[in-house]
């Protein structure tokens, strides 16, 4: 069975931007909507970049530096979070991430990024709880509109490098929980009538996920994206989404000659 995929993603298109543009998704009249989320999306849940006149010295999709700073200043974030995020975008931070041994990933990211002390904490800060409330509001809006026209809404959380390593090793410091954010998002999505698929537990069977991520910024590399794709395909066709489950069974029967 052929499956057509329309990618409605955009650079700097964080969750609230997605909600504001959701009519474009519905206009395509899809058979299913898949909402891919990362901890970075939750971290910037309320950030919205306004369309401005392009500047010749700014790459496409990259807001001007002054615009970024202004948006962060007026975003509901603490000074410490702002400073940490801005430092994390400097060349110095990128260089440090290249040379710091990933065995010390917890300590290095506490210094340069609030990801470890944020979404990976078993008891998240008030700031992270506020971000989840923004996700809840936007999810309710989008799922309500999808439900009104009978379009299944499916969501999934893709892990960060640190999160994948913790799950793969089955070991993390006291006070941390790499599954916490996924559990929170599952509760949010299902409470509004959507479907949540989980791929976090699949990383328990991956012996060493470190080579699947770029050392500089933690994004998945080509091997990592391929692994994500396989895990997503398996999760989407294991019965969680009825239409895709039937398609998977039919394909399996065809391959067996039945």
């Amino acid at each position: 069975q052929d499956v057509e995929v329309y990618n409605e993603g955009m650079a700097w298109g964080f969750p609230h931007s997605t909600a504001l543009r959701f009519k474009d998704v519905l206009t395509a009249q899809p058979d299913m909507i898949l909402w891919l989320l990362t901890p970075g999306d939750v971290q910037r849940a309320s950030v919205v970049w306004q369309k401005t006149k392009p500047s010749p010295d700014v790459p496409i999709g990259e807001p001007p530096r002054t615009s970024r700073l202004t948006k962060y200043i007026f975003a509901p974030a603490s000074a410490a979070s702002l400073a940490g995020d801005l430092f994390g975008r400097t060349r110095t931070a990128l260089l440090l991430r290249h040379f710091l041994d990933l065995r010390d990933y917890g300590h290095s990211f506490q210094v340069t990024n609030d990801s470890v002390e944020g979404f990976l904490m078993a008891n998240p800060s008030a700031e992270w709880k506020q971000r989840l409330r923004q996700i809840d509001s936007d999810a309710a809006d989008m799922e309500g509109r999808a439900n009104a026209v009978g379009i299944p809404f499916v969501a999934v959380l893709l892990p960060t490098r640190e999160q994948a390593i913790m799950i793969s090793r089955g070991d993390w410091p006291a006070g941390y929980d790499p599954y916490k954010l996924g559990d929170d998002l599952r509760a949010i999505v299902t409470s509004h009538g959507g479907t949540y698929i989980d791929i976090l537990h699949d990383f328990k069977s991956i012996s060493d996920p470190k080579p699947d991520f770029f050392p500089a910024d933690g994004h998945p590399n080509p091997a990592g994206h391929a692994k994500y794709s396989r895990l997503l395909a398996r999760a989407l066709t294991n019965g969680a989404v009825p239409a895709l489950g039937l398609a998977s069974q039919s394909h399996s029967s065809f391959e067996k000659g039945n």
Side-chain angles (χ1 to χ4, degrees):
Q1 176 175 339
D2 291 334
V3 177
E4 294 181 346
V5 178
Y6 292 82
N7 185 354
E8 291 285 349
M10 63 175 290
W12 298 88
F14 301 115
H16 193 55
S17 293
T18 302
L20 293 174
R21 296 168 44 252
F22 198 63
K23 65 180 185 300
D24 297 333
V25 178
L26 297 179
T27 299
Q29 299 182 329
D31 296 309
M32 187 192 83
I33 296 168
L34 178 62
W35 192 25
L36 301 176
L37 286 165
T38 70
D41 290 314
V42 181
Q43 184 182 31
R44 301 173 180 85
S46 62
V47 174
V48 176
W49 300 114
Q50 295 180 354
K51 185 176 181 181
T52 57
K53 184 177 180 180
S55 172
D57 59 344
V58 176
I60 295 176
E62 176 77 2
R65 185 175 299 274
T66 53
S67 172
R68 292 204 302 269
L69 182 59
T70 302
K71 291 295 180 181
Y72 273 112
I73 288 175
F74 290 102
S78 67
S81 175
L82 170 63
D85 195 64
L86 290 178
F87 174 72
R89 297 176 183 280
T90 64
R91 293 183 177 89
T92 302
L94 293 177
L95 187 64
L96 285 173
R97 289 181 190 144
H98 268 297
F99 290 103
L100 283 172
D101 191 328
L102 205 52
R103 289 174 299 183
D104 298 325
Y105 64 91
H107 174 71
S108 65
F109 271 76
Q110 284 178 353
V111 173
T112 62
N113 195 305
D114 73 344
S115 60
V116 170
E117 58 190 1
F119 82 92
L120 286 174
M121 297 297 291
N123 184 21
S125 66
E127 186 175 4
W128 274 93
K129 291 177 181 177
Q130 174 58 38
R131 291 163 176 165
L132 282 170
R133 285 192 285 272
Q134 179 67 56
I135 292 286
D136 190 8
S137 174
D138 289 328
D141 175 28
M142 293 187 290
E143 292 182 63
R145 287 192 275 172
N147 292 337
V149 291
I151 300 175
F153 188 99
V154 183
V156 62
L157 174 67
L158 306 180
T160 64
R161 177 177 56 187
E162 298 72 47
Q163 191 177 15
I165 291 171
M166 284 183 175
I167 295 172
S168 173
R169 294 178 177 176
D171 178 41
W172 47 85
Y176 292 76
D177 183 355
Y179 297 106
K180 169 67 175 169
L181 183 57
D183 293 340
D184 289 339
L185 292 175
R186 178 195 298 275
I188 288 172
V189 171
T190 56
S191 71
H192 301 301
T195 299
Y196 180 84
I197 59 174
D198 176 33
I199 67 169
L200 296 184
H201 286 80
D202 292 327
F203 281 82
K204 291 187 290 187
S205 61
I206 298 175
S207 59
D208 183 14
K210 286 188 293 184
D212 297 329
F213 297 86
F214 290 113
D217 59 9
H219 283 85
N221 57 28
H225 278 290
K227 197 163 293 182
Y228 274 171
S229 297
R230 288 193 295 271
L231 295 178
L232 278 170
R234 184 188 308 162
L236 286 168
T237 58
N238 69 358
V241 181
L244 292 177
L246 291 173
S248 177
Q249 293 172 16
S250 300
H251 182 66
S252 177
S253 298
F254 174 78
E255 286 183 331
K256 293 178 181 178
N258 295 330

